[in-house]
Amino acid sequence: LLGVLLGAESFGDFVNRSFFVGALLARQVRLVESIRKHAASIAERLGELEKLESDLAGELEAQRLLLARLERLRNDKALLEEQLRSLPPPLARELLETSRRWAGLLFGLQGTMARLGELPAGALTADRFSLTASGMVVEISESTLNRLLDLARDGALEAVSVRLSPGGATVEGRLAGGGELFYLEGELGFDRREGVVYLSPRAIGLQGQALEGELLDFLAASRFLAWRVGDFAPLEVASVTATQGRLAITLAGRSFPF
């Protein structure tokens, strides 16, 4: 470019060449800036892809562990069935009936939570709103949740209700038919990416009998009790936490910090 300027044959030619060189330099600066922004965008996307790859690897490992547990449970089931065939018929029938009641309870709870997420958006009414540094907090009382649970209640359950405590919840009720009492105590968690609240059981009881061992561990890890919170667009659900008697849903968006 310097050679272009020095090769001018007159002052007018020098001015024309200076204008040309200036325009060329400005274009190159814009091109470099565009490349820099594009490179930054590519680096950001690569970071997102690496995070996604890491998350997927974690999920695959969790699924592998769950499948291994499920396989052990299947083997235990086959062994139990073989043992049942060797028992006197009355005792075998009693054990099978107990298994049926437990299955009814677990599937009934799972069905209720699934139906809870399918209720119309208008069914979820907030008891209180507040603004915090994290965003808008929507609070839902136990009475509101219990009204929703009654609307979503699976046919296997005659009654179901929830009591909230800091970080957890206790679900109680009766099975349909025999009316056996049940309870479930667990920790409340929230998966922001999936938009679901899940209850990891610490204890499950049915008519005085407690579920223990590997099956309880499997249920706690599998998130079989999950509730899709719903759509609050244009805001998104940033967190869901349990307090004493209330469920707090924090909404965040462009107007709020994350």
Side-chain angles (χ1 to χ4, degrees):
L1 294 179
L2 184 60
V4 172
L5 293 175
L6 295 177
E9 298 178 354
S10 64
F11 180 74
D13 188 24
F14 179 80
V15 170
N16 289 335
R17 293 188 181 211
S18 297
F19 178 79
F20 169 77
V21 169
L24 185 61
L25 286 174
R27 182 177 179 182
Q28 288 179 337
V29 167
R30 290 195 299 270
L31 180 61
V32 169
E33 182 64 19
S34 175
I35 293 173
R36 187 189 65 79
K37 290 181 179 179
H38 189 58
S41 175
I42 291 175
E44 182 180 356
R45 292 183 181 180
L46 285 175
E48 293 174 354
L49 287 173
E50 288 175 358
K51 184 179 182 303
L52 179 60
E53 184 179 9
S54 175
D55 291 343
L56 288 174
E59 289 185 6
L60 287 173
E61 177 62 17
Q63 290 294 328
R64 187 189 66 78
L65 293 174
L66 286 176
L67 287 173
R69 286 185 175 181
L70 182 59
E71 185 62 27
R72 288 196 296 271
L73 288 172
R74 285 174 176 167
N75 293 335
D76 291 344
K77 179 176 178 290
L79 179 61
L80 178 60
E81 289 175 346
E82 183 178 347
Q83 292 173 343
L84 283 174
R85 284 192 289 268
S86 65
L87 293 174
L91 181 56
R93 283 195 299 269
E94 182 180 346
L95 289 174
L96 287 172
E97 180 61 22
T98 299
S99 298
R100 186 193 64 80
R101 291 198 301 269
W102 273 105
L105 169 61
L106 297 178
F107 284 117
L109 288 172
Q110 189 176 39
T112 298
M113 294 293 280
R115 287 180 174 85
L116 193 62
E118 296 170 358
L119 290 176
L124 183 62
T125 56
D127 295 278
R128 190 168 70 179
F129 294 92
S130 60
L131 287 176
T132 69
S134 301
M136 177 184 292
V137 179
V138 179
E139 295 188 14
I140 303 171
S141 66
E142 281 180 359
S143 59
T144 297
L145 279 178
N146 285 325
R147 177 178 58 81
L148 295 176
L149 282 173
D150 191 55
L151 289 173
R153 178 168 46 86
D154 187 87
L157 308 180
E158 182 178 320
V160 61
S161 63
V162 64
R163 288 186 289 110
L164 296 172
S165 57
T170 300
V171 181
E172 298 173 321
R174 294 189 306 274
L175 285 182
E180 295 96 335
L181 299 176
F182 69 84
Y183 71 90
L184 184 149
E185 297 176 355
E187 298 175 356
L188 204 68
F190 175 65
D191 188 324
R192 182 171 181 175
R193 186 174 58 185
E194 297 293 332
V196 296
V197 179
Y198 58 89
L199 188 62
S200 297
R202 293 190 302 262
I204 306 177
L206 174 61
Q207 203 66 17
Q209 294 181 334
L211 189 65
E212 299 176 344
E214 194 169 357
L215 181 55
L216 181 60
D217 295 337
F218 173 79
L219 293 174
S222 65
R223 297 184 182 180
F224 86 108
L225 291 181
W227 165 39
R228 189 167 297 280
V229 181
D231 186 13
F232 291 87
L235 302 178
E236 69 170 66
V237 180
S239 67
V240 179
T241 55
T243 61
Q244 192 63 44
R246 288 181 178 271
L247 191 70
I249 302 174
T250 301
L251 305 177
R254 292 183 179 178
S255 302
F256 302 105
F258 283 81

